[in-house]
Amino acid sequence: MKIVLLDPVGSGIPHLGLLFLSAALKQAGFKDTTFCSIDTASNSFERSEEFFLKQLEEKPLVLITATVPIWVDAVKYAKIAKEKGCFVIVGGPAPTTFGKKILEKYSFIDVVVKGEGELIIGDIAKATTKNDFTGIRGVIWKKDGTIIENEENTLIRDLDSLPFPDYAALDFKSYHGPFAFCTSRGCPYGCEFCFKPIHGRMFRSMSPERVLEQMKWIIKTFPAEFEKVNRTIGFSDDIFNFDMERAEKIAKMIIDQKLNIKMVSVNGFHVRHTNEAFFRLMKKAGFVEIWFGIDAGSEVVLKNLRKGITLDMVRQAVKRAKKAGILTIGGHFIIGLRGDTLEHSRAAIAFIKSIPFDEVGLTHANVLPGTELWDYVKEHGTLLHETDGFDFSAFWQLNHGVIFETSDFPKADRIIAYEEATKVMNYIRRRHIMKPGRVIKLIKDIHSPRDIIWVIGRAFTFITSKDLRARKRKPRPSEIKKVRK
């Protein structure tokens, strides 16, 4: 059986969820699997819609994942696959949220899978031959026109039992940034905006021994690709330092075994679980960049958020990380959460300016079904985009404008707050980028006259842009490969 795993809207970061599924399928005996993450900006035929359509000629089993904002894209490709005679299965955050409503609405989708799929995907693939999914947890399917909901899926407790992600399935040249890596799932904190339909609130983690085993496997199996990203691993854990003892053991093992790696965590560090010794150990192990999920810079909004932190905790965590010598320290903030106002947002901006961040990420508050904030806004606020209950393409997370408003924080005030916050974010980023070491590295990376032109363009954007974070990274000419067919 040929199986195609589809990420309908890909990016420069590999979809680890599908890579875990691909590895699980191969472990179950399904060797003919193809990973397709569509991203037209990648200049890669293997990342194109044309490549996906070519795979459908063999009428494979098609597995499609989707978050809620890109569900309409998943539907588009599911319909195309069914018209080509394929058996179509959907999974991920959107199908887990919508459930059986998907089969009620879309006749061209055969099966919905809810929750984590690695332990059941092999059984699901085998069951497609007879279209009989009896007894497989988390599956919603149709039998003689009747929709059947199997027993709820359960969270995977033993992450050590999972195979390593199928990185070999990637078209490596089309990705940028660190080697994607994840060592834990779930976050026990109850932030009202957080969307947790797959991994839930139970923190589960790989053992330090398994983490080190995977790191060494990557270094040995993908040496050229690992060197290309400057021996850098990027953690995508929701909360890497929740179990500080585990995190410290991982760091000590990296040091003891002299892996000589760099590590970054753009999310995954909580300010509550820190101390000076912890950050010194992280620095020694190789962490060069750490971001904290802070979200609110006002004590009032933090209390409503139920993140379990205070502004003083933020100050102390950043101070400790700075003192330990972590090169880049970032903070994520959101404008417009429950209880926020223009006044509170300005207090948050003042707070951000008082902290020695190297980078700051700012977004408008977003709402999606399945979150507490969604329920709050439906009752107390006004959504500024229409949805039919399935199309949430306008509810995109980053810098796509105001998603909702409330009586005490209307759209006009939210726009003002975001513009004022963006000026501060730009100042912090420019100050960080202009550090001598970063400028020298940029110059050293010039390999051709076209690269010089690219650097000049980047410099122009750097100087003139009103929102540095909103712009997508453009590859330098020397990185661009001709699309292969």
Side-chain angles (χ1 to χ4, degrees):
M1 179 188 298
K2 178 179 177 62
I3 301 176
V4 173
L5 300 100
L6 176 67
D7 175 13
V9 182
S11 68
I13 302 172
H15 194 297
L16 277 178
L18 284 184
L19 296 184
F20 271 111
L21 286 181
S22 181
L25 283 166
K26 289 181 177 178
Q27 190 177 65
F30 297 92
K31 305 300 183 182
D32 188 5
T33 64
T34 299
F35 175 79
C36 184
S37 178
I38 296 177
D39 180 9
T40 55
S42 67
N43 296 290
S44 167
F45 178 60
E46 286 82 355
R47 304 288 304 279
S48 68
E49 182 176 292
E50 183 181 353
F51 175 76
F52 171 67
L53 296 178
K54 186 174 180 60
Q55 305 309 306
L56 301 184
E57 294 174 3
E58 299 181 49
K59 295 181 172 51
L61 167 61
V62 177
L63 309 178
I64 305 176
T65 188
T67 58
V68 171
I70 68 168
W71 173 243
V72 290
D73 298 276
V75 168
K76 166 189 167 182
Y77 291 117
K79 185 176 182 181
I80 292 172
K82 177 53 66 176
E83 290 172 349
K84 297 290 186 180
C86 303
F87 195 96
V88 178
I89 299 177
V90 296
T96 299
T97 301
F98 299 143
K100 72 174 185 178
K101 294 179 182 178
I102 290 175
L103 297 188
E104 292 172 346
K105 182 176 177 63
Y106 305 105
S107 60
F108 47 84
I109 293 176
D110 297 296
V111 170
V112 172
V113 179
K114 298 176 63 175
E116 296 177 334
E118 289 90 348
L119 298 186
I120 58 176
I121 193 63
D123 291 336
I124 291 172
K126 293 172 186 175
T128 59
T129 58
K130 296 183 179 180
N131 193 28
D132 185 353
F133 302 89
T134 303
I136 304 177
R137 286 177 175 271
V139 174
I140 305 174
W141 54 297
K142 291 174 286 190
K143 183 176 182 179
D144 299 326
T146 300
I147 296 175
I148 300 174
E149 287 191 83
N150 290 356
E151 189 176 353
E152 285 290 315
N153 200 358
T154 56
L155 295 174
I156 299 172
R157 301 294 186 96
D158 181 13
L159 298 189
D160 283 5
S161 67
L162 299 180
F164 296 146
D166 186 15
Y167 296 111
L170 293 175
D171 176 38
F172 274 104
K173 73 179 187 308
S174 66
Y175 293 93
H176 60 79
F179 221 98
F181 201 82
C182 188
T183 74
S184 64
R185 295 180 178 180
C187 174
Y189 291 97
C191 300
E192 63 178 0
F193 64 85
C194 196
F195 190 61
K196 301 177 181 178
I198 301 295
H199 298 319
R201 293 183 60 172
M202 179 187 294
F203 179 79
R204 297 153 291 136
S205 62
M206 294 180 186
S207 66
E209 292 77 13
R210 183 65 170 172
V211 173
L212 265 289
E213 183 184 356
Q214 183 172 336
M215 286 181 174
K216 290 190 290 185
W217 172 75
I218 287 173
I219 295 170
K220 180 180 179 180
T221 310
F222 307 99
E225 293 80 7
F226 195 54
E227 291 296 333
K228 180 183 176 182
V229 297
N230 198 23
R231 299 182 66 85
T232 306
I233 286 175
F235 288 87
S236 60
D237 298 47
D238 285 335
I239 182 167
F240 176 78
N241 63 327
F242 177 73
D243 182 344
M244 290 180 64
E245 183 177 348
R246 183 190 81 107
E248 289 172 348
K249 187 172 181 180
I250 291 171
K252 288 176 181 177
M253 292 176 72
I254 291 171
I255 296 167
D256 291 343
Q257 299 190 33
K258 300 178 181 178
L259 294 192
N260 184 28
I261 61 175
K262 295 182 177 68
M263 293 174 284
V264 303
S265 180
V266 180
N267 62 313
F269 270 75
H270 196 286
V271 300
R272 175 182 285 275
H273 306 280
T274 68
N275 58 49
E276 289 185 21
F278 174 80
F279 282 121
R280 286 197 298 270
L281 189 60
M282 296 301 112
K283 162 69 174 177
K284 188 176 181 181
F287 267 102
V288 296
E289 182 173 351
I290 287 174
W291 285 67
F292 296 106
I294 301 162
D295 304 318
S298 157
E299 294 284 12
V300 172
V301 181
L302 272 180
K303 186 177 180 180
N304 290 337
L305 184 57
R306 300 199 314 278
K307 196 174 188 67
I309 67 173
T310 65
L311 295 184
D312 188 57
M313 287 181 184
V314 176
R315 294 187 186 96
Q316 293 302 316
V318 174
K319 180 180 178 181
R320 291 163 181 163
K322 277 285 184 182
K323 189 174 181 180
I326 304 296
L327 293 179
T328 301
I329 301 168
H332 292 293
F333 290 87
I334 300 172
I335 292 173
L337 294 169
R338 183 163 60 96
D340 204 358
T341 62
L342 181 57
E343 181 182 358
H344 286 316
S345 288
R346 284 174 169 162
I349 293 169
F351 173 74
I352 292 170
K353 291 169 66 175
S354 73
I355 305 297
F357 288 115
D358 299 301
E359 293 273 10
V360 172
L362 288 158
T363 65
H364 286 290
N366 193 19
V367 285
L368 292 172
T371 66
E372 291 185 25
L373 186 59
W374 172 268
D375 296 333
Y376 175 82
V377 172
K378 292 287 283 185
E379 183 176 354
H380 302 284
T382 302
L383 293 173
L384 299 178
H385 299 283
E386 294 183 358
T387 173
D388 61 0
F390 290 94
D391 185 353
F392 288 85
S393 54
F395 292 68
W396 201 263
Q397 178 69 46
L398 297 177
N399 306 310
H400 278 60
V402 181
I403 302 295
F404 69 93
E405 64 181 350
T406 55
S407 59
D408 53 355
F409 204 1
K411 178 180 179 179
D413 284 355
R414 289 169 185 257
I415 293 173
I416 291 171
Y418 184 81
E419 290 176 347
E420 293 178 1
T422 297
K423 291 179 182 178
V424 174
M425 179 201 71
N426 287 347
Y427 168 75
I428 292 171
R429 172 161 286 191
R430 288 186 172 111
R431 180 183 64 189
H432 181 55
I433 291 176
M434 286 303 295
K435 289 180 178 179
R438 293 177 66 92
V439 174
I440 291 171
K441 183 180 184 304
L442 180 66
I443 294 172
K444 286 183 176 179
D445 284 342
I446 294 176
H447 302 295
S448 71
R450 293 181 66 196
D451 276 349
I452 295 175
I453 297 173
W454 177 86
V455 169
I456 293 172
R458 290 273 291 174
F460 179 79
T461 297
F462 175 72
I463 294 169
T464 63
S465 176
K466 294 182 179 180
D467 189 347
L468 289 172
R469 191 167 187 254
R471 301 181 70 89
K472 289 186 176 181
R473 173 190 181 275
K474 293 183 179 180
R476 63 172 60 230
S478 58
E479 295 175 328
I480 297 175
K481 304 289 185 181
K482 185 178 181 180
V483 174
R484 292 183 287 111
K485 295 187 179 181

